Amino acid sequence: MIVRPIRALVGAAVALLVVTGSAGPGSAQGAPTLHLDPATVVAGGGFSATLVNCTPPGPYLFEVSNAGGGMSPDNCPEHEAGTALLAPSTPGQYTVVVKDPQFNVVASATLTVTAAGPGPSPAAICALAIAEVGTGVGTYGRYKLVQAPAQGRSGNDVVVGTPGDDVLVGGSGNDVLCGLGGDDVLLGGSGNDHLDGGPDIDALTGGSGNDTLINGETND
């Protein structure tokens, strides 16, 4: 199976895919069913929509029906079609629908969109960033992990110190610098950085950008 991303749409549905491949034998066909994962998502958050028991060939079109925006075609290989979508920016109950090539609605499901809660406290940012970095999930999931004595470069990094004395450099990009133990020097560089010296005696310099500096002597 070959997946070719075409473009992103602004609105409720952002991922536009064309999936090609031969249909597999599948199992005994039931009624088409739409599954949302997750079915409850914060405003503007991502979720996946999967149509089970579709009949090839497609394309099948997915959209958040009462939020406007675009649709995503998928050719139903192996009797299953799906795509990634973005939730609307306004909290509420929304209906996600799937249409066949004749634009008939073949399945639907309810999406609950909740208000985005307050962000984590500054003191909790490092723990969250270290847990998420490299996972592809969450605010810091696509950041690059940099372990001292290595230094951050271009792009968004999570730079993590050791229990000893470290010099942490974020470089360009929006970085998270976590000194942990020891007497550390944290240099954010350009971008909107979060610097947390941790315990002991630390010196924090944010650099250019809108920076947050905690647990240390600050210079921004």
Side-chain angles (χ1 to χ4, degrees), residues 2-3 16 20 37 49 52 57 75 78 111 121 132 187 209 213 215:
I2 303 171
V3 179
L16 178 56
T20 60
D37 183 21
V52 178
N75 282 326
E78 303 295 335
L111 177 72
S121 68
E132 291 183 349
L187 307 172
L213 286 68
N215 294 327

Side-chain angles (χ1 to χ4, degrees), residues 176-204:
V176 179
L177 279 62
C178 306
L180 303 184
D183 298 337
D184 306 312
V185 176
L186 279 61
L187 307 172
S190 61
N192 302 328
D193 306 312
H194 178 90
L195 281 62
D196 184 345
D200 300 316
I201 302 173
D202 306 300
L204 316 179

Side-chain angles (χ1 to χ4, degrees), residues 104-134:
N104 300 309
V105 174
V106 297
S108 64
T110 299
L111 177 72
T112 301
V113 178
T114 61
S121 68
I125 293 292
C126 271
L128 178 63
I130 292 171
E132 291 183 349
V133 64

Side-chain angles (χ1 to χ4, degrees), residues 146-151 160 162 166-168:
V146 177
Q147 185 71 55
Q151 299 180 354
V160 181
T162 70
D166 304 301
V167 176
L168 306 184

Side-chain angles (χ1 to χ4, degrees), residues 131-144:
E132 291 183 349
V133 64
T135 65
V137 177
T139 303
Y140 306 101
R142 298 189 182 278
Y143 280 45
K144 179 183 178 182

Side-chain angles (χ1 to χ4, degrees), residues 1 19 24 29 33 35 49-56 60 62 74-82:
M1 183 174 66
V19 180
Q29 288 285 109
T33 304
H35 298 282
T50 304
L51 178 67
V52 178
N53 292 329
C54 56
T55 302
Y60 283 83
F62 295 73
D74 194 313
N75 282 326
C76 187
E78 303 295 335
H79 300 282
E80 186 172 293

